[in-house]
Amino acid sequence: MAARRAAVVFTEKEFYLDEFRGRTLVFTVHHAGAADRLRALGEVARDLLVNDTRVLILLGGPAARERAALRALERPLAGLPSAAQLPFPQLRLAPADAAGPVLSLPAEELAKPAISDALLARLWDILRGTPFFLGLCDADTPEQLAGFAARLGARLRVHKLVIADPLGGIQSAGAERPLSFMDEGMTAQLLAAGEAESVGLGARRALLAAVRTGLIEGVSSINVCTLDGIARELFTYEGSGTLFTREDYCKVERLSLDDFHEVEKVLERGQREGYLKVRTPAEIAPILFSGYGATIGQHHLAGVCSLQTERYEAERAGEIVGLYTITRFKGEGVGVKLIACMKSVGRERGLAYLFACTTQERVGQFFERQGFREITPAEAPAAKWIGYDDARRCGLAVYRFDL
């Protein structure tokens, strides 16, 4: 593992691929548009298959009956390197009773309230020999296909279900962008009588019901986005749609060793954007050892920060360092939860106050909203300025919160 990590440039995509390695992802696409648009899905499937991720695609709508659409999906997969050891050189259309990674799923199979053992047995016959499955689904509507995919994903307890929906993520009337995250409780609330309609989401009630079914019955997480946005939704911090999980909105915990690689890259991103002070690896290490991560669901890092106290024992002070929220979760209250945790930890440790420094006016306003007040640099612990860059200090604002 050490040799592998030394050779890899850990991009955002690489970290998400790490999460998906050895797991199963299901994609459902009801497509009636240009056949060539499915090529992007084929490229995502290729990246996952080479990554040792099992991929199941449920394709419905006119595309499921068009050879042009299947060829568009096939092209990226046909060029897979031999190292992937896939038992098929290319996709081929097969009747329902034929061997191969492609099966036709008739309307009566999709309409069953429960996934049949016979279908599961046929599916496992395929997946026993290949990490890829393509189901050609006779689904009348995207919602019908999403409901079947949710039942199948839950029955198999897959890691993730991705629903490609023409409208993309869940966006209420008047909102500028889709919600980046919803938990099962929020989804249930929308499904109460009249709630979805009151925020302009009545037309998406069937989709929301399918998502909630999948979460309750066993899918770890579900993403809803456009077909064109799948790669950005899966492989970037920005995302493109809405992520659904069953667990509570957000939990904040101490970082573990397994988090350190990803957190380093998150901090480096914050440095490039100018939100965080540029630090060497040696300077980042203490942030990791004293760091906390905000996690959405079980796997999605949403933000980080650190509480450093060792240098400030005489003042009984703690410095909040490296506070950064992943792009897609900005405005979702993640930063507030991280600061609330820092206050709680500070009180548990018997600290007198917390302080934080920033060159960003917007970040300073955030601290003020959390009850911090601006102080002069001279009022901060003197140990803070030992070896500190004078030029950066001139543009710095310091904020204090008394515990």
Side-chain angles (χ1 to χ4, degrees), residues 19-242:
E19 177 192 333
F20 302 146
R21 187 168 292 118
R23 298 180 181 271
T24 299
L25 272 64
V26 177
F27 296 83
T28 177
V29 182
H30 191 280
H31 188 55
D36 193 57
R37 288 180 58 201
L38 286 170
R39 183 184 180 94
L41 176 59
E43 291 170 350
V44 169
R46 176 200 62 207
D47 290 342
L48 291 169
L49 290 166
V50 173
N51 182 62
D52 191 27
T53 301
R54 185 182 287 117
V55 176
L56 284 67
I57 296 177
L58 302 173
L59 182 62
R65 300 182 290 273
E66 294 178 4
R67 289 191 176 274
L70 296 181
R71 283 196 296 269
L73 183 61
E74 168 193 340
R75 281 189 204 103
L77 300 177
L80 283 170
S82 58
Q85 297 181 344
L86 292 175
F88 56 97
Q90 60 182 18
L91 296 181
R92 59 186 178 85
L93 209 59
D97 60 349
V102 183
L103 286 179
S104 297
L105 296 173
E108 55 268 25
E109 188 72 62
L110 304 183
K112 292 178 180 178
I115 303 299
S116 68
D117 288 347
L119 175 58
L120 292 175
R122 289 165 60 197
L123 183 59
W124 180 237
D125 280 342
I126 293 172
L127 295 176
R128 185 183 288 114
T130 173
F132 179 82
F133 167 78
L134 174 62
L136 302 178
C137 302
D138 187 15
D140 293 330
T141 66
E143 292 78 14
Q144 182 188 24
L145 184 59
F148 172 74
R151 294 193 298 276
L152 179 64
R155 187 69 176 81
L156 297 172
R157 300 188 66 82
V158 300
H159 178 67
K160 183 179 288 293
L161 167 63
V162 180
I163 300 174
D165 187 86
L167 296 179
I170 304 302
Q171 185 169 346
S172 58
E176 294 183 359
R177 59 185 298 274
L179 288 169
S180 60
F181 169 79
M182 292 180 65
D183 62 25
E184 185 274 327
M186 297 166 66
T187 308
Q189 183 176 351
L190 272 180
L191 288 171
E195 289 297 321
E197 290 74 13
S198 69
V199 292
L201 293 173
R204 313 202 77 184
R205 179 176 286 277
L207 173 64
L208 290 168
V211 167
R212 184 166 183 257
T213 294
L215 293 175
I216 290 176
E217 295 186 6
V219 182
S220 295
S221 65
I222 299 176
N223 299 72
V224 176
C225 62
T226 63
L227 172 61
D228 298 331
I230 287 178
R232 188 153 54 94
E233 176 71 1
L234 288 184
F235 298 144
T236 72
Y237 292 141
E238 287 85 358
S240 67
T242 302

Side-chain angles (χ1 to χ4, degrees), residues 362-379:
R362 189 159 67 104
V363 177
Q365 293 170 349
F366 167 78
F367 278 114
E368 288 178 340
R369 291 195 297 273
Q370 308 316 309
F372 286 68
R373 59 184 174 86
E374 187 171 1
I375 61 175
T376 66
E379 294 176 272

Side-chain angles (χ1 to χ4, degrees), residues 250-286:
C250 179
K251 60 179 179 290
V252 179
E253 297 177 321
R254 285 291 297 269
L255 296 177
S256 71
L257 179 63
D258 292 339
D259 300 321
F260 286 3
H261 277 292
E262 183 171 4
V263 172
E264 279 190 328
K265 297 309 169 185
V266 169
L267 295 174
E268 289 172 8
R269 182 187 180 94
Q271 292 172 178
R272 290 195 304 272
E273 294 176 348
Y275 287 106
L276 300 179
K277 173 188 173 183
V278 176
R279 293 178 170 87
T280 66
E283 291 171 326
I284 287 178

